[in-house]
Amino acid sequence: MCIRDRTQEARLAPQKEQKRGCVDPEVTTELACATMSKPVVLVTGANGEIGRSLLQRLHTEGRYRAVTVDLTPLPERYRPLCVETYAGNIMDKYLLDQVAAHHEIEVVFHLAALLSTRGERDPELAHQVNVEGTLHLLRVAQNQSGRLGRPVRFIFPSSIAVYGLPDLAEKARAGKVLEDAYNEPITMYGCNKLYCEHLGRYFTQHFRQLGALASAARLDFRSLRFPGLISAETVPTGGTSDFGPEMLHAAAKGEKYSCFVREDTKIPFMAMPDAVNALMGMLEADRAKLTKSIYNVGSFSLSAKDIEDRVRKHFPNAEVGYAPDAVRNKICDSWPEDVDDTRARKDWGWKPNWDVERAFEEYLIPTIKKRYSDR
Ligand code: AKB
């Protein structure tokens, strides 16, 4: 079932942008034309952690018009950032076709996914959402590329979950891993992400290679392998890297936190503003310079104890304990300590703005303090 957040009549015709307080009809027309000529970006999973930050960034930059799809209606405060918002399931082909019929989509940020812990609780559902859902979106983007006669850019957040290190000794030996190493994920989510990376590459390079449509425009798929993300605004749900953000938010709220991994569990992390920088950098990268469609993006690497120490520095009364969950810890143990992102740095100039010091001192701690003191 799909609920469109605007009027029922709007279902039948593309929604025009509202003109805001202009009286001169010529100026109004010019403004409307300028606005309408901005490319439409479809954001799935817009109501999630990355989605909300990305919408703010797209709006601030002002070069794109955002159309969103999420299972849950976008909160009121995010709606002015979008030209249209749809509440519905990415498994609903009818909804996606309707969205595509009403908007000339030039870019897709396909953020909707079921994360690694949630995926282990319901692997079949994870496969449906993460793989079948992605296939639906790829089909929509491919059809749209054919209609426009040029490639729709399809930006896909993949994950360190595609890696599967066999044991802790090998993890320590491996250090920063390259994209092609250890591609043996141990979670359904990791398998889904790895397969979808291949699907995207296939759609870009080989889709309909036999037959009359072989020379038609294909989509342009670009994927980033994200570490665990830490946002000062939101706490993630359903992931296994969640121990980082959960510990920080619990301390800021003055709540006890029982960490589900051992103190020495170490994985790469990234501050949310850098995740959005990476998505925008990937979107705007010159296709001719991209040697691959899959890119690691790194920032900093921390153990649970490192995070606790940083948290304690600012919240000395934080109550942090450790009650490792065997399976969730095994999942984190199978992820690399860090990623080698040389390829992204060389091909499209990736560089994180927020090293660990800046991320905590200038973004996470001040923003989170303000957030909880405002309540
Ligand atoms: C998860 O924990 O599942 C995600 C991820 C690392 O992709 N945050």
Side-chain angles (χ1 to χ4, degrees):
M1 191 191 65
C2 113
I3 309 156
R4 193 174 186 185
D5 293 346
R6 291 215 178 154
T7 58
Q8 193 64 24
E9 298 87 329
R11 261 176 198 278
L12 307 171
Q15 186 87 35
K16 294 274 186 305
E17 278 232 320
Q18 279 179 349
K19 297 163 190 138
R20 293 186 190 98
C22 272
V23 281
D24 179 337
E26 266 181 36
V27 175
T28 307
T29 312
E30 253 175 51
L31 270 178
C33 288
T35 311
M36 296 306 282
S37 66
K38 289 181 191 170
V40 172
V41 170
L42 172 63
V43 183
T44 72
N47 207 5
E49 270 224 295
I50 310 179
R52 289 180 178 200
S53 301
L54 180 65
L55 287 182
Q56 281 166 341
R57 172 71 173 267
L58 289 170
H59 184 71
T60 310
E61 292 214 345
R63 283 180 289 138
Y64 301 94
R65 290 180 292 149
V67 171
T68 67
V69 176
D70 198 287
L71 258 186
T72 53
L74 211 57
E76 208 54 62
R77 71 188 176 108
Y78 290 95
R79 293 195 195 175
L81 312 182
C82 314
V83 288
E84 194 94 61
T85 67
Y86 296 81
N89 197 322
I90 53 161
M91 302 301 296
D92 181 350
K93 286 185 179 178
Y94 173 74
L95 166 65
L96 296 184
D97 286 340
Q98 221 192 9
V99 174
H102 287 160
H103 304 281
E104 252 188 27
I105 299 163
E106 307 241 9
V107 174
V108 177
F109 284 100
H110 176 36
L111 311 180
L114 234 69
L115 300 184
S116 54
T117 292
R118 177 82 176 84
E120 287 318 284
R121 299 208 164 108
D122 198 340
E124 206 173 315
L125 180 66
H127 190 278
Q128 278 165 7
V129 174
N130 296 343
V131 175
E132 289 173 45
T134 301
L135 189 59
H136 292 330
L137 262 306
L138 286 167
R139 179 184 57 82
V140 166
Q142 179 51 46
N143 290 344
Q144 184 67 7
S145 304
R147 267 203 297 275
L148 294 173
R150 57 180 181 274
V152 165
R153 275 163 297 164
F154 192 108
I155 314 300
F156 182 70
S158 184
S159 161
I160 49 164
V162 302
Y163 297 108
L165 282 297
D167 52 52
L168 286 173
E170 184 66 22
K171 174 166 168 159
R173 243 193 321 275
K176 291 188 170 200
V177 303
L178 282 164
E179 283 86 349
D180 296 331
Y182 303 107
N183 287 178
E184 288 185 44
I186 70 161
T187 59
M188 177 54 106
Y189 169 73
C191 294
N192 297 162
K193 287 289 184 188
L194 189 58
Y195 173 58
C196 287
E197 290 177 354
H198 284 295
L199 268 184
R201 180 183 52 76
Y202 165 78
F203 266 84
T204 298
Q205 294 173 11
H206 309 291
F207 184 67
R208 294 221 188 277
Q209 51 196 315
L210 266 180
L213 292 177
S215 58
R218 297 199 180 104
L219 59 82
D220 174 355
F221 177 89
R222 304 160 178 213
S223 177
L224 296 165
R225 285 187 184 161
F226 277 129
L229 301 179
I230 315 187
S231 165
E233 321 279 345
T234 44
V235 191
T237 48
T240 318
S241 61
D242 295 2
F243 67 89
E246 281 176 2
M247 194 186 290
L248 178 63
H249 282 261
K253 285 190 276 184
E255 290 173 1
K256 260 190 179 170
Y257 184 64
S258 174
C259 184
F260 59 80
V261 294
R262 296 179 318 271
E263 293 177 46
D264 67 321
T265 304
K266 191 170 186 184
I267 58 167
F269 285 99
M270 179 179 281
M272 188 57 81
D274 259 342
V276 174
N277 288 341
L279 287 168
M280 296 305 289
M282 187 80 277
L283 167 66
E284 279 152 19
D286 178 355
R287 179 79 231 180
K289 297 199 173 134
L290 299 184
T291 54
K292 294 279 181 183
S293 48
I294 318 297
Y295 290 91
N296 279 342
V297 279
S299 190
F300 48 85
S301 170
L302 293 172
S303 68
K305 183 67 170 72
D306 295 333
I307 299 176
E308 184 192 337
D309 292 345
R310 289 196 175 265
V311 165
R312 273 194 198 289
K313 185 174 154 204
H314 298 279
F315 303 101
N317 298 326
E319 287 187 72
V320 179
Y322 291 84
D325 174 281
V327 178
R328 295 184 91 185
N329 217 138
K330 188 171 99 187
I331 292 172
C332 282
D333 288 344
S334 78
W335 294 348
E337 230 172 69
D338 208 350
V339 290
D340 182 328
D341 59 6
T342 310
R343 187 196 277 174
R345 288 174 187 256
K346 268 199 194 142
D347 283 10
W348 52 276
W350 160 250
K351 192 170 174 297
N353 278 339
W354 302 84
D355 63 18
V356 66
E357 201 59 22
R358 250 198 103 206
F360 274 82
E361 301 301 318
E362 294 178 35
Y363 163 61
L364 291 169
I365 300 291
T367 319
I368 218 163
K369 279 191 170 165
K370 181 166 182 328
R371 179 194 148 113
Y372 292 112
S373 67
D374 282 353
R375 289 187 157 188

